[in-house]
Amino acid sequence: MTLFRLYSILLGTTLLLCGFSWGLGNDSCTKAQELSSKLESLHEESEIRLAEAQILSLCPDGAAAHFVSALQLERVGNIDGAIGEYRKCLQQQRSFPEASGNLGLLYAQKGMNDEAMVELSRGLSANSNPRYHKAMGRILAEQKVYPLAIHHLSEAGRELSRDTGIGMSLADIYTATGKTDKALEEYRRVLVIDPNHEQAHIRQAALLLDRNETDKALEELKQAELVNPQNRDVHLMMAVIYEKKGDTKQADYRYLLGGKPKKDQPQVVPAAVKLSDAAVTTDADSTATVLQAALKDSPEKAVEIYEKLGNAYRLAGKDAEAIAAYREAAHRNSTSSDVYLNLGILYEKEDKLDEAVVAYKQAINAKPSNADARLRLANIRDARGFYQEAVEQYVEFLKLKPDSPDIQLKLARIFARNKELNLAIDAYKAVLKQLPDNLEANRELAPLYRAKGMNDKAIEHYKRALAQQKDDVETRTALVAIYVKNKQYDEITELLKGAVELFPEDANNHYKLGLIYEFKKDYESAIASYKKAAELKPDHARSLNALGRLYMKTGRITEAKEVLEAAKTADPNLEETAILLNNIRDEFSPEPKKISKKLKTRSGKKTKKGKASKSSKSKKPQKKGTAKSKK
């Protein structure tokens, strides 16, 4: 086999084995990622530093290396730099739970909650890290998705048992959902861990006040005062308690410390107030008193009174009381769709999804055009895997509110998930009719067209997605795969040029561009790309190997040997480097090869000749005269 024929085979093999995935995975990088997943369990600084150095040496250009760089930037407080490195890591390897989870934590730190939830979910899919659970729980609590928030915070608390922040978040959720006993229990746990936790004392006192346990509330406030004597809220709360106890002197003193004059007496709401007035009263207890009185005076209006009572309690955040009032209205055959809708929402907050489903269906029966009830019912059925019912409700919702591309996108994803490709395509097209440049719709529609063999359509939507997010590595990779199949090498070149422009400091991008130039036999451009990769990263073994291969092709043997030796030093396990170096020796040092063959041939015959000569030497030579006489 000649050298140049070997070269052609090696280049073709390189491109085929790459499959234009561009060398993102090898044994060393796999080991590096496995090691990176164990960094979280290391506690000694020396162990962490040693492990990070090992990762960088195993896979200096891979996703794990970017992960380590991000960790190091986080340690010095460079949050934006760390986010950039985590993104590069995930661009190279989308499935990297630790990178996703850590990126989610940084997004949450910057208040980017939507982005944080996406990355935290990816992190938690394979890594039940308590820090990820804690961050996810807090975001969900902010969004008032309380059942899921409780789940994540409880999971975090299993391992982070001394973290008072988790207990405070759980207590606040229980307070918001009317579960006072559980809230008090969480506050007490926090105070066991940290007896000087000021807010735990204050919030516990507020709950105790709501339960009219004034003495216990006062004790908690006194503890809070010891922690921070300057807290005006504590003094004002104490003033209210002393006022209830009839100690006006102490009440006036506490009002003074709180920076306010004596609190005005609360206004008494007349018992004869109209129902409409009571419904808008902000004081839920006063409203309840008025409505209960009205119930006695006007029993024939019981349904209407219970409806208004439920509304008052719901607006005041007293969910348990609101549920009881709404249920009573429903029991009395309320025809108000909103009563059932509100009841369903409250059930959903308490994670009573079966009851919520029933309530939403009753809301729809009472008023088929209740779009909100249909949407909420659809979301629950979708989450529980009831595909047909979810689709039915989403379709009905879209009839009522056709200008809802976000819901149309949900419907499209359900169809796609259930392999209903034609329906999914139609649904995605409906989204794009309203939002032509929607990133998710274009990116998710493209692979559906590709699955149906409609590559031109797929390319169109991949391009639209790329126009919205130029650094979308997954979309670039998908486009390259189509172009490779179609042998559209000019298009591949343009994509790779774009990657180099976006990430000019990434040696891998220059290496990939070099590969395609080499495949197109544009050797000068390929050499320039490989050189640039080697300049950016002097130990970039694949670029050095490719550069050596190309130098051999163009007859620059001395330079080829030099860079191939450098490639071998950078990665002794590269088989192609060893093959090329051996062929330099074999093809360009022919004389030793011939000598070696002769030696090998002679060595095979040496034993026979050797034996013969030895036997002849053992016999003494006869004299001529003696020989003649014998004859």
Side-chain angles (χ1 to χ4, degrees), residues 346-586:
L346 292 173
Y347 278 138
E348 200 171 348
K349 282 176 68 177
E350 293 193 349
D351 204 24
K352 295 179 178 179
L353 298 184
D354 291 331
E355 291 88 340
V357 166
V358 172
Y360 291 141
K361 286 183 176 180
Q362 288 175 314
I364 293 167
N365 288 335
K367 183 182 177 182
S369 63
N370 191 328
D372 198 4
R374 288 191 180 277
L375 178 59
R376 288 178 175 275
L377 178 58
N379 287 340
I380 294 176
R381 304 317 269 168
D382 182 29
R384 289 185 155 193
F386 292 95
Y387 157 65
Q388 292 294 345
E389 191 174 348
V391 168
E392 178 187 340
Q393 295 301 330
Y394 281 133
V395 168
E396 291 300 320
F397 172 86
L398 288 167
K399 288 178 182 177
L400 296 166
K401 294 191 175 182
D403 296 329
S404 303
D406 55 330
I407 306 305
Q408 189 74 62
L409 185 60
K410 277 189 175 185
L411 186 60
R413 285 170 173 165
I414 293 176
F415 287 138
R417 193 166 62 238
N418 288 277
K419 310 299 182 186
E420 297 277 1
L421 297 189
N422 291 331
L423 292 174
I425 287 172
D426 289 341
Y428 279 119
K429 285 166 70 176
V431 176
L432 294 172
K433 187 175 181 180
Q434 297 180 63
L435 301 172
D437 296 324
N438 183 273
L439 174 62
E440 288 80 8
N442 278 297
R443 186 162 49 193
E444 293 168 23
L445 176 56
L448 300 183
Y449 278 129
R450 188 178 172 191
K452 291 176 68 68
M454 302 168 69
N455 284 343
D456 290 341
K457 285 284 187 181
I459 289 171
E460 175 190 340
H461 290 285
Y462 276 134
K463 282 183 173 181
R464 286 188 188 179
L466 207 57
Q468 297 301 313
Q469 187 177 334
K470 292 184 179 180
D471 62 350
D472 186 347
V473 176
E474 290 182 12
T475 296
R476 286 182 176 276
T477 302
L479 269 174
V480 166
I482 295 175
Y483 288 148
V484 168
K485 184 176 180 180
N486 295 344
K487 299 182 180 179
Q488 296 173 264
Y489 300 116
D490 290 337
E491 286 80 358
I492 297 172
T493 306
E494 288 305 311
L495 276 176
L496 296 177
K497 282 181 179 179
V500 167
E501 290 173 5
L502 285 168
F503 310 106
E505 302 303 314
D506 189 335
N508 279 325
N509 287 331
H510 293 280
Y511 167 68
K512 298 169 193 175
L513 183 57
L515 276 179
I516 196 63
Y517 277 139
E518 185 178 357
F519 190 75
K520 293 171 68 177
K521 299 185 179 180
D522 184 353
Y523 299 136
E524 292 304 317
S525 297
I527 288 172
S529 293
Y530 292 145
K531 278 186 173 180
K532 183 63 179 177
E535 285 173 15
L536 290 168
K537 193 167 183 55
D539 60 348
H540 197 286
R542 294 193 299 277
S543 292
L544 292 168
N545 176 78
L547 189 56
R549 182 178 64 227
L550 207 47
Y551 279 153
M552 288 177 67
K553 171 68 175 177
T554 54
R556 299 157 68 174
I557 304 305
T558 303
E559 293 168 278
K561 184 177 180 182
E562 181 181 343
V563 293
L564 287 170
E565 290 290 354
K568 184 178 180 181
T569 302
D571 186 355
N573 297 319
L574 272 180
E575 293 183 10
E576 185 182 352
T577 304
I579 294 171
L580 292 172
L581 280 170
N582 286 336
N583 275 275
I584 287 178
R585 299 187 188 103
D586 291 345

